[in-house]
Amino acid sequence: MTTATTAEQRAAELGLVIPDYANPPYGTRYGTMKAFHRSGRTLTLSGITPEDRQGNKVFPGRVGSTVTLEEGYQAARYAAVNVLGLIRYAVGSLDEITGFVRTLTCVVVTPEFTDVNLVTNGAADLFMEVFGDPIGRSTSMGLGVNTLSGGNVFEMTAVLETRSPFEDRSL
């Protein structure tokens, strides 16, 4: 039974090792892109995959062939932990999130594999564990695809709502 009351406390209680995307900055390995975009209280995260900061992939391959459904689920869960790192990078704390608006997930699958949702639940389940309901529950779309960047089996992006609006102080 959990005694944690905040997302940061629940993540710690779960023993999650959340990556720091500030150093080296997220995205430089993939070319011209930014890690996130903020507008008002909306935070849009760039695509994130199940790989560590050194680029080592978790269960690369194709679900239904070289990757089992359970391994795909674990890869999705790993990518979701990476999403937590991007959230911290963007807004400083998981506690700043007031809602998951939408997630878009892609899973590399064989043409015969149709249980994409059972793989993507790896990410959805983690968000519910960390943020609880209703904050961690999002609208979602999961796609079975032929290939993803770098041979990854899973990739996702998310749109979130934040407690505080973004104020551009660069002008």
Side-chain angles (χ1 to χ4, degrees):
M1 180 169 159
T2 183
T3 58
T5 58
T6 70
E8 286 290 348
Q9 290 171 338
R10 284 190 289 277
E13 189 175 84
L14 290 166
L16 300 177
V17 178
I18 300 172
D20 178 3
Y21 284 103
N23 190 17
Y26 170 85
T28 56
R29 189 169 40 235
Y30 295 104
T32 306
M33 61 183 283
K34 59 183 178 177
F36 62 90
H37 179 82
R38 285 196 73 180
S39 178
R41 293 182 55 215
T42 302
L43 170 65
T44 303
L45 300 180
S46 197
I48 195 78
T49 56
E51 56 186 276
D52 65 21
R53 295 295 284 139
Q54 292 72 43
N56 300 305
K57 293 157 185 55
V58 173
F59 302 118
R62 184 177 305 279
V63 178
S65 175
T66 58
V67 177
T68 68
L69 187 143
E70 178 58 31
E71 289 169 336
Y73 179 96
Q74 290 303 321
R77 189 172 175 90
Y78 193 99
V81 171
N82 289 345
V83 165
L84 300 180
L86 273 184
I87 291 170
R88 279 186 179 164
Y89 181 50
V91 298
S93 172
L94 302 178
D95 298 334
E96 181 64 19
I97 300 304
T98 58
F100 274 71
V101 176
R102 177 181 55 229
T103 59
L104 172 62
T105 58
C106 298
V107 182
V108 178
V109 298
T110 62
E112 300 78 26
F113 186 86
T114 58
D115 291 325
V116 172
N117 62 304
L118 298 180
V119 174
T120 65
N121 282 346
D125 291 348
L126 181 94
F127 296 143
M128 288 293 288
E129 290 171 31
V130 172
F131 293 95
D133 198 0
I135 295 172
R137 187 180 301 272
S138 75
T139 64
S140 182
M141 181 175 182
L143 302 172
V145 299
N146 189 45
T147 188
L148 288 170
S149 178
N152 282 291
V153 70
F154 182 86
E155 185 166 3
M156 73 178 301
T157 186
V159 178
L160 303 105
E161 186 176 74
T162 62
R163 189 170 314 286
S164 306
F166 173 68
E167 294 180 29
D168 186 355
R169 297 187 179 132
S170 64
L171 301 176

